[in-house]
Amino acid sequence: MTTIEESIVIQRTPDEVFRFVTEPANSALWQTSILESRQTTSGPMAVRTRARDVRRFLGRRIESEWEVVEHDPPRRSGVRGVSGPIPFTGTYTLEPADGGTRFTARVELDAHGFFKLAEPVLAGIARRELASNLGHLKDLLEAGADAG
């Protein structure tokens, strides 16, 4: 099991950041490897909502489906992978900080097969990608991207 965690302070309210990051349609705007993300169940975001991501990782197209397991606006959101090549869980934690929001993303990966053999390398790549993604998120939201 590999755990990756990164934090950043964004000069927007926790509510604005939470609404933006928990909307699957926004994922490709700030997560550089995501090609497409969409909610696959109807209704507002809540526990048991499902979504599907398509991403490019190490030159491979990877599809995964995830389900919301925790939804506590604007403080915390949690998901778990329900399909895809690497089982995962993830959480977003938001708290007021320095006039904005401290946003922390945590991902736990449980690699198997080819991915297990390459886990140390993949973890390093994923860690750098997460840090970069949080920088993109900060830039987008502080530049005025619609968080509603």
Side-chain angles (χ1 to χ4, degrees):
M1 181 84 65
T2 297
T3 300
I4 302 164
E5 182 174 297
E6 293 287 333
S7 294
I8 197 162
V9 174
I10 301 169
Q11 295 304 311
R12 295 288 287 265
T13 67
D15 190 57
E16 291 171 309
V17 177
F18 189 89
R19 282 194 319 262
F20 190 84
V21 299
T22 58
E23 169 54 54
N26 291 337
S27 295
L29 298 175
W30 66 278
Q31 295 183 47
T32 58
S33 67
I34 291 189
L35 304 172
E36 141 189 358
S37 184
R38 65 180 174 80
Q39 187 170 320
T40 58
T41 55
S42 61
M45 185 63 61
V47 171
R48 289 187 286 287
T49 297
R50 286 194 175 200
R52 178 170 293 280
D53 291 340
V54 177
R55 66 176 66 234
R56 176 125 355 247
F57 189 72
L58 295 178
R60 296 177 69 170
R61 182 181 170 93
I62 297 173
E63 292 189 33
S64 60
E65 186 174 7
W66 48 267
E67 179 178 58
V68 177
V69 295
E70 183 178 3
H71 190 72
D72 183 19
R75 292 176 283 284
R76 193 168 163 89
S77 178
V79 301
R80 71 176 176 84
V82 295
S83 72
I86 302 175
F88 70 93
T89 60
T91 57
Y92 294 153
T93 305
L94 299 87
E95 56 192 352
D98 301 326
T101 301
R102 177 173 307 286
F103 176 73
T104 302
R106 179 184 175 98
V107 179
E108 293 181 352
L109 305 170
D110 190 11
H112 299 286
F114 161 78
F115 293 104
K116 182 66 174 175
L117 293 173
E119 189 169 17
V121 173
L122 296 175
I125 292 168
R127 189 169 282 109
R128 284 188 300 278
E129 183 178 310
L130 180 57
S132 176
N133 289 344
L134 294 189
H136 289 299
L137 177 63
K138 177 181 176 71
D139 291 346
L140 272 171
L141 289 177
E142 290 183 357
D146 183 18

